[in-house]
Amino acid sequence: MKKIIFIITLAFIVYSEGVKAQTDTLSILQNIITNKANYIGQPFSVLLNQLSLEIKYFSPSRANSNNRYKEPSTQFSFYFPWNPGELYRTRPCLRIYWQPYLNRTTSMSLFSQAKGAWSSAVASHYTSQIIQNIILEKR
Protein backbone atom coordinates (compact mmCIF):
# COMPACT_ATOMS: atom_id res chain seq x y z
CA MET A 1 0.00 0.00 0.00
CA LYS A 2 2.85 2.37 0.83
CA LYS A 3 4.38 1.72 -2.59
CA ILE A 4 1.13 2.66 -4.32
CA ILE A 5 0.83 5.90 -2.34
CA PHE A 6 4.48 6.69 -3.10
CA ILE A 7 3.97 6.07 -6.84
CA ILE A 8 0.81 8.20 -6.93
CA THR A 9 2.56 11.00 -5.03
CA LEU A 10 5.55 10.85 -7.35
CA ALA A 11 3.32 10.90 -10.43
CA PHE A 12 1.46 13.92 -9.07
CA ILE A 13 4.73 15.78 -8.41
CA VAL A 14 6.02 15.05 -11.93
CA TYR A 15 2.69 16.13 -13.44
CA SER A 16 2.66 19.33 -11.34
CA GLU A 17 6.19 20.22 -12.41
CA GLY A 18 5.21 19.75 -16.07
CA VAL A 19 2.16 21.99 -15.68
CA LYS A 20 4.24 24.61 -13.82
CA ALA A 21 6.93 24.57 -16.54
CA GLN A 22 4.29 24.99 -19.26
CA THR A 23 2.67 27.86 -17.34
CA ASP A 24 6.05 29.56 -16.90
CA THR A 25 6.82 29.13 -20.61
CA LEU A 26 3.42 30.51 -21.56
CA SER A 27 3.81 33.60 -19.37
CA ILE A 28 7.27 34.32 -20.84
CA LEU A 29 5.92 33.93 -24.38
CA GLN A 30 2.89 36.14 -23.62
CA ASN A 31 5.30 38.82 -22.41
CA ILE A 32 7.15 38.61 -25.74
CA ILE A 33 3.85 39.01 -27.61
CA THR A 34 2.96 42.00 -25.45
CA ASN A 35 6.29 43.60 -26.37
CA LYS A 36 6.52 42.34 -29.95
CA ALA A 37 6.74 45.91 -31.30
CA ASN A 38 10.31 45.88 -29.92
CA TYR A 39 11.20 42.98 -32.22
CA ILE A 40 9.28 43.67 -35.44
CA GLY A 41 11.62 45.02 -38.10
CA GLN A 42 14.63 43.76 -36.15
CA PRO A 43 16.88 40.79 -36.87
CA PHE A 44 15.89 37.57 -35.10
CA SER A 45 19.11 37.83 -33.08
CA VAL A 46 17.58 40.70 -31.08
CA LEU A 47 14.75 38.44 -29.87
CA LEU A 48 17.09 35.47 -29.48
CA ASN A 49 19.47 37.44 -27.24
CA GLN A 50 16.62 38.56 -24.96
CA LEU A 51 14.85 35.19 -24.85
CA SER A 52 15.09 33.60 -21.42
CA LEU A 53 13.97 30.22 -22.81
CA GLU A 54 16.11 27.82 -24.80
CA ILE A 55 14.78 26.99 -28.25
CA LYS A 56 14.79 23.21 -28.69
CA TYR A 57 12.83 22.65 -31.89
CA PHE A 58 12.07 24.54 -35.09
CA SER A 59 9.79 23.87 -38.02
CA PRO A 60 9.84 25.87 -41.29
CA SER A 61 6.46 26.48 -42.93
CA ARG A 62 5.57 26.52 -46.60
CA ALA A 63 4.19 29.60 -48.35
CA ASN A 64 1.54 27.81 -50.38
CA SER A 65 1.22 25.07 -52.93
CA ASN A 66 2.33 27.41 -55.74
CA ASN A 67 5.76 28.17 -54.31
CA ARG A 68 7.26 25.51 -52.10
CA TYR A 69 10.64 27.27 -52.06
CA LYS A 70 9.55 30.21 -49.90
CA GLU A 71 9.33 30.14 -46.12
CA PRO A 72 7.02 32.86 -44.80
CA SER A 73 7.22 31.74 -41.17
CA THR A 74 8.95 29.38 -38.79
CA GLN A 75 7.72 27.79 -35.58
CA PHE A 76 10.13 27.89 -32.64
CA SER A 77 9.41 25.60 -29.73
CA PHE A 78 10.87 25.06 -26.30
CA TYR A 79 10.28 21.31 -26.18
CA PHE A 80 11.83 18.69 -28.45
CA PRO A 81 9.37 15.99 -29.56
CA TRP A 82 11.16 12.64 -29.34
CA ASN A 83 8.55 10.95 -31.53
CA PRO A 84 5.68 12.10 -33.78
CA GLY A 85 3.18 11.40 -30.99
CA GLU A 86 4.73 14.20 -28.95
CA LEU A 87 4.34 16.99 -31.52
CA TYR A 88 1.47 18.41 -29.47
CA ARG A 89 4.00 19.12 -26.71
CA THR A 90 5.79 21.68 -28.90
CA ARG A 91 3.07 24.14 -27.86
CA PRO A 92 3.06 26.83 -26.61
CA CYS A 93 5.48 28.12 -29.22
CA LEU A 94 6.30 31.22 -31.21
CA ARG A 95 5.64 31.53 -34.92
CA ILE A 96 7.88 34.15 -36.49
CA TYR A 97 6.90 35.67 -39.83
CA TRP A 98 9.78 36.89 -41.99
CA GLN A 99 10.25 39.91 -44.23
CA PRO A 100 11.19 38.99 -46.91
CA TYR A 101 10.32 35.30 -47.08
CA LEU A 102 13.24 32.95 -46.50
CA ASN A 103 14.64 30.25 -48.76
CA ARG A 104 12.77 27.16 -47.57
CA THR A 105 15.20 24.79 -49.31
CA THR A 106 18.00 25.87 -46.97
CA SER A 107 15.75 25.72 -43.90
CA MET A 108 14.45 22.27 -44.80
CA SER A 109 17.98 21.01 -45.34
CA LEU A 110 18.86 22.11 -41.81
CA PHE A 111 15.60 20.65 -40.49
CA SER A 112 16.32 17.29 -42.13
CA GLN A 113 19.92 17.14 -40.89
CA ALA A 114 18.96 17.74 -37.26
CA LYS A 115 15.38 16.38 -37.34
CA GLY A 116 14.18 19.80 -36.21
CA ALA A 117 16.58 20.13 -33.27
CA TRP A 118 17.91 23.61 -32.58
CA SER A 119 21.66 23.90 -33.19
CA SER A 120 24.30 26.54 -33.78
CA ALA A 121 23.99 25.98 -37.56
CA VAL A 122 20.23 26.59 -37.39
CA ALA A 123 20.75 29.65 -35.19
CA SER A 124 23.25 31.03 -37.72
CA HIS A 125 20.70 30.59 -40.50
CA TYR A 126 17.97 32.55 -38.71
CA THR A 127 19.82 35.22 -36.65
CA SER A 128 20.10 37.85 -39.38
CA GLN A 129 16.57 37.35 -40.73
CA ILE A 130 14.13 40.25 -40.22
CA ILE A 131 11.00 39.68 -38.12
CA GLN A 132 7.75 40.82 -39.73
CA ASN A 133 5.41 39.53 -37.01
CA ILE A 134 5.31 37.23 -33.99
CA ILE A 135 2.37 35.01 -33.11
CA LEU A 136 1.86 32.89 -30.00
CA GLU A 137 0.53 29.42 -30.78
CA LYS A 138 -0.98 27.75 -27.75
CA ARG A 139 -2.74 24.66 -29.10
Side-chain angles (χ1 to χ4, degrees):
M1 184 67 171
K2 288 182 181 181
K3 287 182 182 180
I4 293 173
I5 293 172
F6 174 75
I7 291 171
I8 291 171
T9 303
L10 184 60
F12 178 75
I13 290 169
V14 169
Y15 173 78
S16 298
E17 289 299 314
V19 169
K20 181 178 182 284
Q22 186 176 18
T23 303
D24 292 347
T25 300
L26 182 58
S27 65
I28 290 168
L29 297 180
Q30 286 172 330
N31 187 43
I32 289 170
I33 296 302
T34 301
N35 298 305
K36 72 180 181 178
N38 297 334
Y39 307 111
I40 292 175
Q42 299 294 321
F44 183 62
S45 60
V46 173
L47 173 60
L48 199 55
N49 290 336
Q50 295 179 7
L51 194 58
S52 61
L53 298 169
E54 180 184 344
I55 296 172
K56 303 223 173 153
Y57 180 76
F58 79 103
S59 179
S61 69
R62 196 161 99 181
N64 58 39
S65 58
N66 295 331
N67 195 336
R68 63 181 181 210
Y69 302 109
K70 291 186 177 183
E71 177 184 355
S73 68
T74 310
Q75 173 190 325
F76 296 97
S77 179
F78 309 94
Y79 176 83
F80 184 82
W82 293 101
N83 62 59
E86 289 188 327
L87 278 174
Y88 74 94
R89 296 182 77 184
T90 61
R91 307 285 175 100
C93 64
L94 291 177
R95 178 162 301 280
I96 308 292
Y97 288 85
W98 308 109
Q99 182 62 37
Y101 290 173
L102 307 184
N103 180 333
R104 188 168 184 270
T105 304
T106 305
S107 301
M108 286 308 296
S109 174
L110 290 166
F111 181 84
S112 296
Q113 289 171 14
K115 297 186 176 28
W118 188 252
S119 67
S120 58
V122 176
S124 294
H125 172 66
Y126 286 107
T127 53
S128 63
Q129 307 304 327
I130 304 300
I131 297 172
Q132 179 187 40
N133 198 8
I134 306 171
I135 304 293
L136 174 62
E137 295 182 350
K138 296 180 191 176
R139 295 275 170 216

